[in-house]
PDB file of all heavy atoms in Angstrom:
ATOM      1  N   LEU P  67     106.157-107.402  91.341  1.00 88.00           N
ATOM      2  CA  LEU P  67     105.279-107.463  90.177  1.00 88.00           C
ATOM      3  C   LEU P  67     104.604-106.116  89.953  1.00 88.00           C
ATOM      4  O   LEU P  67     104.202-105.449  90.909  1.00 88.00           O
ATOM      5  CB  LEU P  67     104.195-108.526  90.387  1.00 88.00           C
ATOM      6  CG  LEU P  67     104.665-109.956  90.649  1.00 88.00           C
ATOM      7  CD1 LEU P  67     103.513-110.802  91.154  1.00 88.00           C
ATOM      8  CD2 LEU P  67     105.266-110.562  89.389  1.00 88.00           C
ATOM      9  N   ARG P  68     104.482-105.718  88.680  1.00 88.00           N
ATOM     10  CA  ARG P  68     103.715-104.519  88.353  1.00 88.00           C
ATOM     11  C   ARG P  68     102.661-104.905  87.325  1.00 88.00           C
ATOM     12  O   ARG P  68     102.971-105.379  86.228  1.00 88.00           O
ATOM     13  CB  ARG P  68     104.607-103.415  87.799  1.00 88.00           C
ATOM     14  CG  ARG P  68     103.819-102.138  87.465  1.00 88.00           C
ATOM     15  CD  ARG P  68     104.712-100.943  87.232  1.00 88.00           C
ATOM     16  NE  ARG P  68     105.626-101.150  86.117  1.00 88.00           N
ATOM     17  CZ  ARG P  68     106.616-100.311  85.795  1.00 88.00           C
ATOM     18  NH1 ARG P  68     106.807 -99.225  86.537  1.00 88.00           N
ATOM     19  NH2 ARG P  68     107.409-100.565  84.781  1.00 88.00           N
ATOM     20  N   LYS P  69     101.400-104.703  87.714  1.00 84.00           N
ATOM     21  CA  LYS P  69     100.303-105.041  86.811  1.00 84.00           C
ATOM     22  C   LYS P  69     100.128-103.976  85.730  1.00 84.00           C
ATOM     23  O   LYS P  69     100.369-102.786  85.969  1.00 84.00           O
ATOM     24  CB  LYS P  69      98.993-105.182  87.592  1.00 84.00           C
ATOM     25  CG  LYS P  69      98.880-106.446  88.420  1.00 84.00           C
ATOM     26  CD  LYS P  69      97.478-106.568  88.997  1.00 84.00           C
ATOM     27  CE  LYS P  69      97.321-107.838  89.803  1.00 84.00           C
ATOM     28  NZ  LYS P  69      95.944-107.973  90.342  1.00 84.00           N
ATOM     29  N   LYS P  70      99.690-104.409  84.557  1.00 76.00           N
ATOM     30  CA  LYS P  70      99.407-103.482  83.466  1.00 76.00           C
ATOM     31  C   LYS P  70      97.943-103.064  83.552  1.00 76.00           C
ATOM     32  O   LYS P  70      97.057-103.691  82.976  1.00 76.00           O
ATOM     33  CB  LYS P  70      99.695-104.144  82.121  1.00 76.00           C
ATOM     34  CG  LYS P  70     101.162-104.521  81.928  1.00 76.00           C
ATOM     35  CD  LYS P  70     101.369-105.237  80.595  1.00 76.00           C
ATOM     36  CE  LYS P  70     102.827-105.617  80.398  1.00 76.00           C
ATOM     37  NZ  LYS P  70     103.054-106.349  79.122  1.00 76.00           N
ATOM     38  N   THR P  71      97.680-102.018  84.318  1.00 72.00           N
ATOM     39  CA  THR P  71      96.307-101.535  84.489  1.00 72.00           C
ATOM     40  C   THR P  71      96.212-100.078  84.062  1.00 72.00           C
ATOM     41  O   THR P  71      97.133 -99.287  84.281  1.00 72.00           O
ATOM     42  CB  THR P  71      95.862-101.649  85.961  1.00 72.00           C
ATOM     43  OG1 THR P  71      96.730-100.863  86.768  1.00 72.00           O
ATOM     44  CG2 THR P  71      95.917-103.084  86.437  1.00 72.00           C
ATOM     45  N   ARG P  72      95.080 -99.712  83.460  1.00 61.00           N
ATOM     46  CA  ARG P  72      94.891 -98.342  82.976  1.00 61.00           C
ATOM     47  C   ARG P  72      94.766 -97.341  84.124  1.00 61.00           C
ATOM     48  O   ARG P  72      95.202 -96.205  84.020  1.00 61.00           O
ATOM     49  CB  ARG P  72      93.635 -98.273  82.111  1.00 61.00           C
ATOM     50  CG  ARG P  72      93.752 -99.037  80.793  1.00 61.00           C
ATOM     51  CD  ARG P  72      92.483 -98.870  79.978  1.00 61.00           C
ATOM     52  NE  ARG P  72      92.569 -99.574  78.702  1.00 61.00           N
ATOM     53  CZ  ARG P  72      91.578 -99.601  77.807  1.00 61.00           C
ATOM     54  NH1 ARG P  72      90.451 -98.958  78.069  1.00 61.00           N
ATOM     55  NH2 ARG P  72      91.727-100.255  76.671  1.00 61.00           N
ATOM     56  N   ALA P  73      94.118 -97.779  85.185  1.00 59.00           N
ATOM     57  CA  ALA P  73      93.809 -96.852  86.284  1.00 59.00           C
ATOM     58  C   ALA P  73      94.929 -96.736  87.306  1.00 59.00           C
ATOM     59  O   ALA P  73      94.746 -96.138  88.360  1.00 59.00           O
ATOM     60  CB  ALA P  73      92.531 -97.321  86.987  1.00 59.00           C
ATOM     61  N   GLN P  74      96.080 -97.291  86.990  1.00 65.00           N
ATOM     62  CA  GLN P  74      97.176 -97.301  87.963  1.00 65.00           C
ATOM     63  C   GLN P  74      97.699 -95.887  88.232  1.00 65.00           C
ATOM     64  O   GLN P  74      97.888 -95.093  87.323  1.00 65.00           O
ATOM     65  CB  GLN P  74      98.317 -98.178  87.444  1.00 65.00           C
ATOM     66  CG  GLN P  74      99.392 -98.471  88.466  1.00 65.00           C
ATOM     67  CD  GLN P  74     100.411 -99.464  87.908  1.00 65.00           C
ATOM     68  OE1 GLN P  74     101.423 -99.058  87.349  1.00 65.00           O
ATOM     69  NE2 GLN P  74     100.126-100.739  88.045  1.00 65.00           N
ATOM     70  N   ALA P  75      97.909 -95.599  89.517  1.00 74.00           N
ATOM     71  CA  ALA P  75      98.462 -94.292  89.890  1.00 74.00           C
ATOM     72  C   ALA P  75      99.888 -94.164  89.353  1.00 74.00           C
ATOM     73  O   ALA P  75     100.583 -95.163  89.145  1.00 74.00           O
ATOM     74  CB  ALA P  75      98.451 -94.158  91.408  1.00 74.00           C
ATOM     75  N   LYS P  76     100.325 -92.940  89.121  1.00 81.00           N
ATOM     76  CA  LYS P  76     101.678 -92.711  88.607  1.00 81.00           C
ATOM     77  C   LYS P  76     102.673 -92.819  89.758  1.00 81.00           C
ATOM     78  O   LYS P  76     102.757 -91.931  90.608  1.00 81.00           O
ATOM     79  CB  LYS P  76     101.771 -91.343  87.942  1.00 81.00           C
ATOM     80  CG  LYS P  76     100.964 -91.219  86.658  1.00 81.00           C
ATOM     81  CD  LYS P  76     101.274 -89.934  85.931  1.00 81.00           C
ATOM     82  CE  LYS P  76     102.702 -89.908  85.411  1.00 81.00           C
ATOM     83  NZ  LYS P  76     102.989 -88.704  84.605  1.00 81.00           N
ATOM     84  N   ILE P  77     103.411 -93.911  89.775  1.00 85.00           N
ATOM     85  CA  ILE P  77     104.404 -94.158  90.820  1.00 85.00           C
ATOM     86  C   ILE P  77     105.718 -94.530  90.149  1.00 85.00           C
ATOM     87  O   ILE P  77     105.762 -95.417  89.294  1.00 85.00           O
ATOM     88  CB  ILE P  77     103.957 -95.295  91.763  1.00 85.00           C
ATOM     89  CG1 ILE P  77     102.689 -94.885  92.511  1.00 85.00           C
ATOM     90  CG2 ILE P  77     105.067 -95.647  92.753  1.00 85.00           C
ATOM     91  CD1 ILE P  77     102.103 -95.978  93.367  1.00 85.00           C
ATOM     92  N   ASP P  78     106.769 -93.847  90.530  1.00 85.00           N
ATOM     93  CA  ASP P  78     108.086 -94.106  89.959  1.00 85.00           C
ATOM     94  C   ASP P  78     108.758 -95.240  90.732  1.00 85.00           C
ATOM     95  O   ASP P  78     109.214 -95.049  91.860  1.00 85.00           O
ATOM     96  CB  ASP P  78     108.934 -92.841  90.017  1.00 85.00           C
ATOM     97  CG  ASP P  78     110.307 -93.039  89.371  1.00 85.00           C
ATOM     98  OD1 ASP P  78     110.438 -93.979  88.558  1.00 85.00           O
ATOM     99  OD2 ASP P  78     111.223 -92.265  89.685  1.00 85.00           O
ATOM    100  N   CYS P  79     108.784 -96.424  90.138  1.00 88.00           N
ATOM    101  CA  CYS P  79     109.422 -97.574  90.781  1.00 88.00           C
ATOM    102  C   CYS P  79     110.870 -97.683  90.323  1.00 88.00           C
ATOM    103  O   CYS P  79     111.137 -97.840  89.122  1.00 88.00           O
ATOM    104  CB  CYS P  79     108.687 -98.872  90.428  1.00 88.00           C
ATOM    105  SG  CYS P  79     107.078 -99.004  91.188  1.00 88.00           S
ATOM    106  N   ALA P  80     111.782 -97.600  91.249  1.00 89.00           N
ATOM    107  CA  ALA P  80     113.194 -97.713  90.892  1.00 89.00           C
ATOM    108  C   ALA P  80     113.555 -99.129  90.486  1.00 89.00           C
ATOM    109  O   ALA P  80     114.462 -99.344  89.682  1.00 89.00           O
ATOM    110  CB  ALA P  80     114.059 -97.261  92.068  1.00 89.00           C
ATOM    111  N   TYR P  81     112.844-100.111  91.043  1.00 90.00           N
ATOM    112  CA  TYR P  81     113.163-101.510  90.776  1.00 90.00           C
ATOM    113  C   TYR P  81     111.873-102.283  90.528  1.00 90.00           C
ATOM    114  O   TYR P  81     110.967-102.279  91.361  1.00 90.00           O
ATOM    115  CB  TYR P  81     113.910-102.131  91.964  1.00 90.00           C
ATOM    116  CG  TYR P  81     115.058-101.283  92.466  1.00 90.00           C
ATOM    117  CD1 TYR P  81     114.890-100.440  93.566  1.00 90.00           C
ATOM    118  CD2 TYR P  81     116.303-101.311  91.839  1.00 90.00           C
ATOM    119  CE1 TYR P  81     115.927 -99.654  94.039  1.00 90.00           C
ATOM    120  CE2 TYR P  81     117.349-100.526  92.298  1.00 90.00           C
ATOM    121  CZ  TYR P  81     117.157 -99.693  93.394  1.00 90.00           C
ATOM    122  OH  TYR P  81     118.184 -98.912  93.851  1.00 90.00           O
ATOM    123  N   VAL P  82     111.791-102.944  89.362  1.00 91.00           N
ATOM    124  CA  VAL P  82     110.619-103.751  89.015  1.00 91.00           C
ATOM    125  C   VAL P  82     111.090-105.152  88.647  1.00 91.00           C
ATOM    126  O   VAL P  82     111.960-105.316  87.781  1.00 91.00           O
ATOM    127  CB  VAL P  82     109.827-103.130  87.839  1.00 91.00           C
ATOM    128  CG1 VAL P  82     108.641-104.033  87.472  1.00 91.00           C
ATOM    129  CG2 VAL P  82     109.342-101.734  88.197  1.00 91.00           C
ATOM    130  N   GLY P  83     110.510-106.167  89.302  1.00 90.00           N
ATOM    131  CA  GLY P  83     110.897-107.541  89.004  1.00 90.00           C
ATOM    132  C   GLY P  83     110.296-108.020  87.696  1.00 90.00           C
ATOM    133  O   GLY P  83     111.010-108.324  86.739  1.00 90.00           O
ATOM    134  N   PHE P  84     108.962-108.044  87.637  1.00 90.00           N
ATOM    135  CA  PHE P  84     108.266-108.552  86.449  1.00 90.00           C
ATOM    136  C   PHE P  84     107.011-107.730  86.184  1.00 90.00           C
ATOM    137  O   PHE P  84     106.347-107.264  87.107  1.00 90.00           O
ATOM    138  CB  PHE P  84     107.840-110.023  86.657  1.00 90.00           C
ATOM    139  CG  PHE P  84     108.971-110.934  87.004  1.00 90.00           C
ATOM    140  CD1 PHE P  84     109.245-111.241  88.333  1.00 90.00           C
ATOM    141  CD2 PHE P  84     109.772-111.502  86.019  1.00 90.00           C
ATOM    142  CE1 PHE P  84     110.284-112.088  88.678  1.00 90.00           C
ATOM    143  CE2 PHE P  84     110.814-112.348  86.344  1.00 90.00           C
ATOM    144  CZ  PHE P  84     111.076-112.641  87.669  1.00 90.00           C
ATOM    145  N   GLU P  85     106.695-107.573  84.892  1.00 88.00           N
ATOM    146  CA  GLU P  85     105.392-107.046  84.498  1.00 88.00           C
ATOM    147  C   GLU P  85     104.425-108.228  84.468  1.00 88.00           C
ATOM    148  O   GLU P  85     104.796-109.338  84.084  1.00 88.00           O
ATOM    149  CB  GLU P  85     105.462-106.391  83.117  1.00 88.00           C
ATOM    150  CG  GLU P  85     106.490-105.276  82.998  1.00 88.00           C
ATOM    151  CD  GLU P  85     106.015-103.979  83.651  1.00 88.00           C
ATOM    152  OE1 GLU P  85     104.820-103.916  84.035  1.00 88.00           O
ATOM    153  OE2 GLU P  85     106.830-103.045  83.772  1.00 88.00           O
ATOM    154  N   CYS P  86     103.163-107.986  84.875  1.00 87.00           N
ATOM    155  CA  CYS P  86     102.208-109.092  84.861  1.00 87.00           C
ATOM    156  C   CYS P  86     100.852-108.607  84.367  1.00 87.00           C
ATOM    157  O   CYS P  86     100.551-107.412  84.444  1.00 87.00           O
ATOM    158  CB  CYS P  86     102.091-109.737  86.238  1.00 87.00           C
ATOM    159  SG  CYS P  86     101.236-108.758  87.468  1.00 87.00           S
ATOM    160  N   PRO P  87     100.010-109.504  83.874  1.00 83.00           N
ATOM    161  CA  PRO P  87      98.705-109.115  83.350  1.00 83.00           C
ATOM    162  C   PRO P  87      97.780-108.642  84.473  1.00 83.00           C
ATOM    163  O   PRO P  87      98.012-108.904  85.652  1.00 83.00           O
ATOM    164  CB  PRO P  87      98.183-110.403  82.714  1.00 83.00           C
ATOM    165  CG  PRO P  87      98.885-111.499  83.446  1.00 83.00           C
ATOM    166  CD  PRO P  87     100.253-110.956  83.741  1.00 83.00           C
ATOM    167  N   ASP P  88      96.716-107.949  84.087  1.00 82.00           N
ATOM    168  CA  ASP P  88      95.749-107.430  85.054  1.00 82.00           C
ATOM    169  C   ASP P  88      94.773-108.536  85.463  1.00 82.00           C
ATOM    170  O   ASP P  88      93.593-108.525  85.107  1.00 82.00           O
ATOM    171  CB  ASP P  88      94.999-106.236  84.448  1.00 82.00           C
ATOM    172  CG  ASP P  88      94.115-105.539  85.480  1.00 82.00           C
ATOM    173  OD1 ASP P  88      94.285-105.835  86.678  1.00 82.00           O
ATOM    174  OD2 ASP P  88      93.262-104.726  85.078  1.00 82.00           O
ATOM    175  N   GLU P  89      95.305-109.493  86.198  1.00 83.00           N
ATOM    176  CA  GLU P  89      94.523-110.617  86.718  1.00 83.00           C
ATOM    177  C   GLU P  89      94.728-110.685  88.229  1.00 83.00           C
ATOM    178  O   GLU P  89      95.679-110.097  88.767  1.00 83.00           O
ATOM    179  CB  GLU P  89      94.985-111.937  86.081  1.00 83.00           C
ATOM    180  CG  GLU P  89      94.938-111.962  84.567  1.00 83.00           C
ATOM    181  CD  GLU P  89      93.544-112.163  84.016  1.00 83.00           C
ATOM    182  OE1 GLU P  89      92.605-112.368  84.834  1.00 83.00           O
ATOM    183  OE2 GLU P  89      93.379-112.125  82.789  1.00 83.00           O
ATOM    184  N   PHE P  90      93.827-111.392  88.916  1.00 83.00           N
ATOM    185  CA  PHE P  90      94.019-111.556  90.353  1.00 83.00           C
ATOM    186  C   PHE P  90      94.976-112.714  90.574  1.00 83.00           C
ATOM    187  O   PHE P  90      94.681-113.860  90.227  1.00 83.00           O
ATOM    188  CB  PHE P  90      92.697-111.817  91.079  1.00 83.00           C
ATOM    189  CG  PHE P  90      92.811-111.584  92.564  1.00 83.00           C
ATOM    190  CD1 PHE P  90      92.639-110.323  93.098  1.00 83.00           C
ATOM    191  CD2 PHE P  90      93.159-112.621  93.423  1.00 83.00           C
ATOM    192  CE1 PHE P  90      92.778-110.085  94.458  1.00 83.00           C
ATOM    193  CE2 PHE P  90      93.299-112.398  94.780  1.00 83.00           C
ATOM    194  CZ  PHE P  90      93.106-111.129  95.306  1.00 83.00           C
ATOM    195  N   ILE P  91      96.146-112.415  91.137  1.00 85.00           N
ATOM    196  CA  ILE P  91      97.201-113.409  91.282  1.00 85.00           C
ATOM    197  C   ILE P  91      97.400-113.790  92.746  1.00 85.00           C
ATOM    198  O   ILE P  91      97.200-112.988  93.651  1.00 85.00           O
ATOM    199  CB  ILE P  91      98.527-112.896  90.676  1.00 85.00           C
ATOM    200  CG1 ILE P  91      98.869-111.503  91.227  1.00 85.00           C
ATOM    201  CG2 ILE P  91      98.452-112.871  89.158  1.00 85.00           C
ATOM    202  CD1 ILE P  91     100.155-110.924  90.709  1.00 85.00           C
ATOM    203  N   VAL P  92      97.802-115.044  92.937  1.00 85.00           N
ATOM    204  CA  VAL P  92      98.002-115.579  94.287  1.00 85.00           C
ATOM    205  C   VAL P  92      99.281-116.409  94.316  1.00 85.00           C
ATOM    206  O   VAL P  92      99.820-116.790  93.276  1.00 85.00           O
ATOM    207  CB  VAL P  92      96.804-116.446  94.743  1.00 85.00           C
ATOM    208  CG1 VAL P  92      95.549-115.612  94.896  1.00 85.00           C
ATOM    209  CG2 VAL P  92      96.570-117.600  93.779  1.00 85.00           C
ATOM    210  N   GLY P  93      99.742-116.712  95.517  1.00 86.00           N
ATOM    211  CA  GLY P  93     100.941-117.519  95.701  1.00 86.00           C
ATOM    212  C   GLY P  93     102.150-116.674  96.052  1.00 86.00           C
ATOM    213  O   GLY P  93     102.152-115.447  95.883  1.00 86.00           O
ATOM    214  N   TYR P  94     103.183-117.294  96.591  1.00 85.00           N
ATOM    215  CA  TYR P  94     104.413-116.603  97.002  1.00 85.00           C
ATOM    216  C   TYR P  94     104.080-115.437  97.932  1.00 85.00           C
ATOM    217  O   TYR P  94     104.622-114.350  97.831  1.00 85.00           O
ATOM    218  CB  TYR P  94     105.180-116.132  95.774  1.00 85.00           C
ATOM    219  CG  TYR P  94     106.600-115.653  96.047  1.00 85.00           C
ATOM    220  CD1 TYR P  94     107.581-116.512  96.539  1.00 85.00           C
ATOM    221  CD2 TYR P  94     106.951-114.327  95.797  1.00 85.00           C
ATOM    222  CE1 TYR P  94     108.871-116.052  96.791  1.00 85.00           C
ATOM    223  CE2 TYR P  94     108.237-113.857  96.035  1.00 85.00           C
ATOM    224  CZ  TYR P  94     109.193-114.736  96.543  1.00 85.00           C
ATOM    225  OH  TYR P  94     110.467-114.279  96.786  1.00 85.00           O
ATOM    226  N   GLY P  95     103.153-115.677  98.854  1.00 79.00           N
ATOM    227  CA  GLY P  95     102.764-114.661  99.814  1.00 79.00           C
ATOM    228  C   GLY P  95     101.521-113.879  99.453  1.00 79.00           C
ATOM    229  O   GLY P  95     100.920-113.226 100.307  1.00 79.00           O
ATOM    230  N   LEU P  96     101.101-113.916  98.194  1.00 81.00           N
ATOM    231  CA  LEU P  96      99.900-113.201  97.763  1.00 81.00           C
ATOM    232  C   LEU P  96      98.670-114.059  98.056  1.00 81.00           C
ATOM    233  O   LEU P  96      98.688-115.275  97.854  1.00 81.00           O
ATOM    234  CB  LEU P  96      99.976-112.890  96.270  1.00 81.00           C
ATOM    235  CG  LEU P  96     101.153-111.996  95.857  1.00 81.00           C
ATOM    236  CD1 LEU P  96     101.353-112.038  94.360  1.00 81.00           C
ATOM    237  CD2 LEU P  96     100.921-110.573  96.327  1.00 81.00           C
ATOM    238  N   ASP P  97      97.588-113.400  98.516  1.00 77.00           N
ATOM    239  CA  ASP P  97      96.439-114.185  98.963  1.00 77.00           C
ATOM    240  C   ASP P  97      95.132-113.730  98.348  1.00 77.00           C
ATOM    241  O   ASP P  97      95.022-112.642  97.764  1.00 77.00           O
ATOM    242  CB  ASP P  97      96.305-114.065 100.489  1.00 77.00           C
ATOM    243  CG  ASP P  97      95.680-112.737 100.892  1.00 77.00           C
ATOM    244  OD1 ASP P  97      96.286-111.685 100.620  1.00 77.00           O
ATOM    245  OD2 ASP P  97      94.572-112.748 101.473  1.00 77.00           O
ATOM    246  N   TYR P  98      94.117-114.572  98.489  1.00 76.00           N
ATOM    247  CA  TYR P  98      92.724-114.197  98.295  1.00 76.00           C
ATOM    248  C   TYR P  98      91.998-114.588  99.577  1.00 76.00           C
ATOM    249  O   TYR P  98      91.895-115.781  99.897  1.00 76.00           O
ATOM    250  CB  TYR P  98      92.095-114.922  97.090  1.00 76.00           C
ATOM    251  CG  TYR P  98      90.588-114.813  97.076  1.00 76.00           C
ATOM    252  CD1 TYR P  98      89.974-113.566  96.980  1.00 76.00           C
ATOM    253  CD2 TYR P  98      89.783-115.944  97.176  1.00 76.00           C
ATOM    254  CE1 TYR P  98      88.592-113.454  96.983  1.00 76.00           C
ATOM    255  CE2 TYR P  98      88.410-115.843  97.171  1.00 76.00           C
ATOM    256  CZ  TYR P  98      87.815-114.591  97.084  1.00 76.00           C
ATOM    257  OH  TYR P  98      86.443-114.485  97.087  1.00 76.00           O
ATOM    258  N   ALA P  99      91.538-113.566 100.346  1.00 70.00           N
ATOM    259  CA  ALA P  99      90.847-113.804 101.620  1.00 70.00           C
ATOM    260  C   ALA P  99      91.654-114.741 102.515  1.00 70.00           C
ATOM    261  O   ALA P  99      91.126-115.685 103.101  1.00 70.00           O
ATOM    262  CB  ALA P  99      89.450-114.355 101.377  1.00 70.00           C
ATOM    263  N   GLU P 100      92.965-114.484 102.591  1.00 70.00           N
ATOM    264  CA  GLU P 100      93.907-115.222 103.452  1.00 70.00           C
ATOM    265  C   GLU P 100      94.182-116.655 102.981  1.00 70.00           C
ATOM    266  O   GLU P 100      94.726-117.458 103.739  1.00 70.00           O
ATOM    267  CB  GLU P 100      93.427-115.246 104.916  1.00 70.00           C
ATOM    268  CG  GLU P 100      93.291-113.869 105.536  1.00 70.00           C
ATOM    269  CD  GLU P 100      94.578-113.076 105.476  1.00 70.00           C
ATOM    270  OE1 GLU P 100      95.663-113.679 105.511  1.00 70.00           O
ATOM    271  OE2 GLU P 100      94.500-111.848 105.386  1.00 70.00           O
ATOM    272  N   ARG P 101      93.866-116.986 101.740  1.00 78.00           N
ATOM    273  CA  ARG P 101      94.156-118.307 101.192  1.00 78.00           C
ATOM    274  C   ARG P 101      95.219-118.205 100.100  1.00 78.00           C
ATOM    275  O   ARG P 101      95.420-117.163  99.509  1.00 78.00           O
ATOM    276  CB  ARG P 101      92.887-118.959 100.625  1.00 78.00           C
ATOM    277  CG  ARG P 101      91.788-119.168 101.661  1.00 78.00           C
ATOM    278  CD  ARG P 101      90.503-119.623 101.010  1.00 78.00           C
ATOM    279  NE  ARG P 101      90.660-120.919 100.339  1.00 78.00           N
ATOM    280  CZ  ARG P 101      89.755-121.442  99.507  1.00 78.00           C
ATOM    281  NH1 ARG P 101      88.648-120.776  99.233  1.00 78.00           N
ATOM    282  NH2 ARG P 101      89.972-122.612  98.961  1.00 78.00           N
ATOM    283  N   TYR P 102      95.909-119.308  99.878  1.00 84.00           N
ATOM    284  CA  TYR P 102      96.868-119.500  98.775  1.00 84.00           C
ATOM    285  C   TYR P 102      98.232-118.833  98.990  1.00 84.00           C
ATOM    286  O   TYR P 102      99.100-118.910  98.125  1.00 84.00           O
ATOM    287  CB  TYR P 102      96.293-119.009  97.431  1.00 84.00           C
ATOM    288  CG  TYR P 102      94.932-119.531  97.105  1.00 84.00           C
ATOM    289  CD1 TYR P 102      93.826-118.676  97.036  1.00 84.00           C
ATOM    290  CD2 TYR P 102      94.723-120.891  96.883  1.00 84.00           C
ATOM    291  CE1 TYR P 102      92.562-119.151  96.744  1.00 84.00           C
ATOM    292  CE2 TYR P 102      93.454-121.379  96.584  1.00 84.00           C
ATOM    293  CZ  TYR P 102      92.375-120.503  96.526  1.00 84.00           C
ATOM    294  OH  TYR P 102      91.125-120.983  96.241  1.00 84.00           O
ATOM    295  N   ARG P 103      98.475-118.191 100.152  1.00 79.00           N
ATOM    296  CA  ARG P 103      99.763-117.534 100.375  1.00 79.00           C
ATOM    297  C   ARG P 103     100.937-118.503 100.264  1.00 79.00           C
ATOM    298  O   ARG P 103     102.033-118.132  99.870  1.00 79.00           O
ATOM    299  CB  ARG P 103      99.805-116.906 101.774  1.00 79.00           C
ATOM    300  CG  ARG P 103      98.919-115.716 101.967  1.00 79.00           C
ATOM    301  CD  ARG P 103      99.263-115.040 103.299  1.00 79.00           C
ATOM    302  NE  ARG P 103      98.275-114.056 103.678  1.00 79.00           N
ATOM    303  CZ  ARG P 103      98.199-112.832 103.183  1.00 79.00           C
ATOM    304  NH1 ARG P 103      99.071-112.463 102.260  1.00 79.00           N
ATOM    305  NH2 ARG P 103      97.275-111.998 103.597  1.00 79.00           N
ATOM    306  N   ASN P 104     100.703-119.752 100.680  1.00 79.00           N
ATOM    307  CA  ASN P 104     101.808-120.703 100.799  1.00 79.00           C
ATOM    308  C   ASN P 104     102.139-121.424  99.494  1.00 79.00           C
ATOM    309  O   ASN P 104     103.004-122.316  99.481  1.00 79.00           O
ATOM    310  CB  ASN P 104     101.495-121.739 101.882  1.00 79.00           C
ATOM    311  CG  ASN P 104     100.218-122.516 101.580  1.00 79.00           C
ATOM    312  OD1 ASN P 104      99.277-121.955 101.024  1.00 79.00           O
ATOM    313  ND2 ASN P 104     100.175-123.777 101.965  1.00 79.00           N
ATOM    314  N   LEU P 105     101.484-121.074  98.403  1.00 86.00           N
ATOM    315  CA  LEU P 105     101.834-121.706  97.129  1.00 86.00           C
ATOM    316  C   LEU P 105     103.276-121.346  96.760  1.00 86.00           C
ATOM    317  O   LEU P 105     103.692-120.193  96.904  1.00 86.00           O
ATOM    318  CB  LEU P 105     100.891-121.234  96.016  1.00 86.00           C
ATOM    319  CG  LEU P 105      99.420-121.662  96.123  1.00 86.00           C
ATOM    320  CD1 LEU P 105      98.617-121.058  94.973  1.00 86.00           C
ATOM    321  CD2 LEU P 105      99.294-123.177  96.122  1.00 86.00           C
TER     322      LEU P 105
END
C-alpha cells in the first residue's frame, strides 16, 4: 500500500500494490498498538 500524503519522502517504488487514502489502516498484519493484526 502507498498512502497519498503530502509529506511523503521521495522514494522510487518499483512495485506498488494499491494506492490508499491518508487514514490509519489496520488488518492483514497492520496494527494499532499491537491490535487488529489478525483481521
Side-chain angles (χ1 to χ4, degrees):
L67 302 167
R68 181 166 61 188
K69 286 188 179 181
K70 297 177 180 178
T71 60
R72 292 182 179 179
Q74 191 174 93
K76 292 189 66 176
I77 296 175
D78 183 21
C79 290
Y81 312 98
V82 178
F84 304 96
E85 303 283 351
C86 72
D88 188 13
E89 304 282 356
F90 197 86
I91 51 179
V92 294
Y94 192 64
L96 299 165
D97 78 297
Y98 166 62
E100 299 303 330
R101 299 172 62 191
Y102 310 114
R103 290 191 192 281
N104 59 325
L105 293 178

